[in-house]
Amino acid sequence: MSMSSNSTSKTDPVSDVQSLRKIIHVDMDAFYASVEQRDDISLRGLPVIVGGQPNGRGVVAACSYEARKFGIHSAMPSAEAGRRCPHAMFVKPRFEVYKQVSQQIHTVFREFTDQIEPLSLDEAYLDVTSNTLFAGSAYRLAREIKTLIHERTGLVASAGVSYNKFLAKIASDYKKPDGLFCILPAEGETFVASLEIGRFHGVGKVTEARMHDLGILTGGDLRQWSEAELAHEFGKSSRYYYQVARGIDDRPVRVSRIRKSMGSERTFGDNLHERTEMLDILVTLLDDLIDQLAAKSLSSKTVTVKVRFADFSTFTRAHTQHKGLLDKGSAHRALPFLLDRALSLGQESGMQRHGRVGRRSGVRLLGVAFSGLAPLGEDSPIQLEMRW
Ligand SMILES: [Mg+2]
């Protein structure tokens, strides 16, 4: 495809950076469901749904390709999935196993690059620009990664290779399952032009409908719009749309060290004595933390409450969600229970040490922490119910 004369410039720093990078997007195929079919032979070849039971209020976290033929997809209520496919096999998620597999996959990644950006347990971008294996071929490297993942986990991944994250993600989806697809720098613009707008990463259902109303059905249609026109319709997302319509995406692969825990505490000038007051403060701390987790796309398994008494004796009590990740509601419900446990522990030990309660009846510090943090993935059922 020829570019208009004013859009090409040898001094354009974005274009120069684009042509230099090599990005691989790796995405496991029907991840949770494939793990279940791997571990239980009787599920192979059958429609498998991981998530809530069809007689409950849960949702589909993931489903096998056999189930997708019935129009079932993740985030669908399990009851609806059960109606569409009455003989489907419903399986509870086993997040511990999925996490172990995720670690195996990351071990493979790290053999080739330390530039890894996880998106969820089963999905990541790799920047392999500086790789020299396979004569520097990112395509052959992606094939090797797929092979090693299959050898070590028995599971199948799809991979997309391109010169930026936007195109690499589209490429991994393009030939799924067991896909391997490369979009070369010279092909990017043409590829995007023919792409349906609903397949653009970053264009959700609402935006897709808006764009359809405006006559934007493909990347080619989107390309007809100036940045100012897009800004008028779509506000701050307009620059991203303008660029990706031209195959441009300068977002770097962000290597994030995932924190294991995140906490917040408050010390009081005057010691607290009222339980309701303490609970109010804990709720405020909890809500702040939930917002912080959401901003980092993290979720958690364990919430801990910390109580420090006037004599500096400190007690903590924790609640751990053994199945899945904590949702906002269960974290809130755990708070009064954890506070009471910590308070009564303090009272009991105060009685033993001082023979009376009064010595440490005041509380000088309260804290809340989340631990067992995990990236919140597109496959995570929590995200579908509560966005945090
Ligand atoms: Mg996947």
Side-chain angles (χ1 to χ4, degrees):
M1 168 175 280
S2 64
M3 298 170 87
S4 61
S5 57
N6 60 357
S7 70
T8 48
S9 161
K10 278 187 175 170
T11 56
D12 183 347
V14 174
S15 301
D16 283 346
V17 171
Q18 297 304 315
S19 59
L20 289 174
R21 289 198 297 161
K22 290 177 186 171
I23 311 292
I24 300 174
H25 179 255
V26 180
D27 185 11
M28 302 298 287
D29 298 333
F31 182 49
Y32 298 170
S34 300
V35 172
E36 299 307 327
Q37 289 179 320
R38 178 194 71 175
D39 294 351
D40 182 349
I41 295 170
S42 73
L43 295 176
R44 290 184 195 169
L46 298 179
V48 173
I49 293 170
V50 181
Q53 294 294 308
N55 53 1
R57 288 193 298 164
V59 297
V60 175
C63 60
S64 68
Y65 285 97
E66 293 87 351
R68 291 179 194 194
K69 288 178 190 153
F70 294 85
I72 296 164
H73 55 77
S74 55
M76 176 182 281
S78 294
E80 170 67 18
R83 276 193 294 275
R84 291 195 187 200
C85 181
H87 63 287
M89 307 293 284
F90 283 81
V91 182
K92 287 183 188 163
R94 296 180 301 149
F95 287 102
E96 285 309 318
V97 180
Y98 309 149
K99 259 198 245 175
Q100 285 165 13
V101 175
S102 184
Q103 284 165 6
Q104 289 178 293
I105 296 166
H106 275 260
T107 303
V108 173
F109 297 159
R110 280 193 297 271
E111 288 170 22
F112 302 102
T113 180
D114 55 4
Q115 299 295 302
I116 303 163
E117 177 181 340
L119 295 178
S120 63
L121 286 177
D122 74 312
E123 216 183 310
Y125 291 113
L126 318 180
D127 187 328
V128 298
T129 308
S130 58
N131 172 69
T132 54
L133 287 173
F134 306 107
S137 164
Y139 181 84
R140 286 168 58 192
L141 177 58
R143 190 167 58 195
E144 178 72 3
I145 287 171
K146 271 168 58 70
T147 302
L148 290 176
I149 286 175
H150 188 251
E151 277 175 15
R152 294 184 197 174
T153 69
L155 298 167
V156 178
S158 289
V161 183
S162 197
Y163 55 96
N164 61 43
K165 294 206 292 191
F166 175 75
L167 291 170
K169 186 158 169 92
I170 287 170
S172 75
D173 191 48
Y174 199 62
K175 298 281 185 184
K176 244 178 188 304
D178 198 13
L180 174 58
F181 190 67
C182 180
I183 302 172
L184 295 169
E187 302 165 343
E189 284 199 285
T190 316
F191 191 88
V192 168
S194 63
L195 200 67
E196 287 170 27
I197 212 71
R199 294 189 73 169
F200 277 55
H201 186 56
V203 173
K205 286 269 170 258
V206 176
T207 306
E208 182 188 5
R210 274 272 310 288
M211 288 195 176
H212 282 185
D213 286 346
L214 295 166
I216 303 171
L217 303 180
T218 65
D221 297 333
L222 184 61
R223 213 201 141 115
Q224 303 303 312
W225 288 59
S226 73
E227 198 176 341
E229 287 168 334
L230 287 172
H232 183 69
E233 295 290 339
F234 300 103
K236 62 181 162 70
S237 301
S238 57
R239 175 137 191 91
Y240 175 75
Y241 297 149
Y242 181 84
Q243 291 198 326
V244 296
R246 287 152 182 78
I248 297 169
D249 174 14
D250 54 4
R251 292 172 302 160
V253 168
R254 292 190 194 281
V255 181
S256 56
R257 308 230 177 279
I258 291 170
R259 291 169 61 177
K260 291 276 188 270
S261 69
M262 191 184 286
S264 173
E265 44 190 46
R266 193 179 296 171
T267 305
F268 312 105
D270 295 316
N271 294 336
L272 300 186
H273 296 273
E274 293 299 325
R275 179 182 177 274
T276 49
E277 202 179 351
M278 297 177 200
L279 205 49
D280 284 347
I281 286 159
L282 288 173
V283 166
T284 307
L285 293 173
L286 182 76
D287 284 335
D288 284 348
L289 279 178
I290 286 171
D291 289 344
Q292 287 180 44
L293 281 183
K296 294 181 192 307
S297 292
L298 292 170
S299 188
S300 159
K301 287 183 82 72
T302 301
V303 59
T304 303
V305 164
K306 176 172 168 182
V307 176
R308 179 167 292 152
F309 290 89
D311 65 355
F312 280 85
S313 60
T314 304
F315 299 87
T316 59
R317 273 292 167 264
H319 165 74
T320 297
Q321 192 85 3
H322 289 290
K323 287 180 182 149
L325 298 165
L326 270 173
D327 62 54
K328 191 174 175 174
S330 48
H332 271 273
R333 281 193 296 278
L335 278 189
F337 175 71
L338 295 174
L339 173 64
D340 291 347
R341 293 275 306 279
L343 286 176
S344 66
L345 268 174
Q347 304 291 10
E348 281 166 27
S349 109
M351 288 287 277
Q352 283 164 13
R353 270 178 61 188
H354 308 295
R356 60 194 171 93
V357 174
R359 264 299 274 282
R360 56 173 59 150
S361 61
V363 166
R364 75 184 313 270
L365 175 148
L366 286 170
V368 178
F370 284 117
S371 53
L373 299 186
L376 193 57
E378 293 186 344
D379 283 339
S380 166
I382 297 303
Q383 188 181 37
L384 306 172
E385 291 164 10
M386 314 266 175
R387 287 188 49 81
W388 72 283

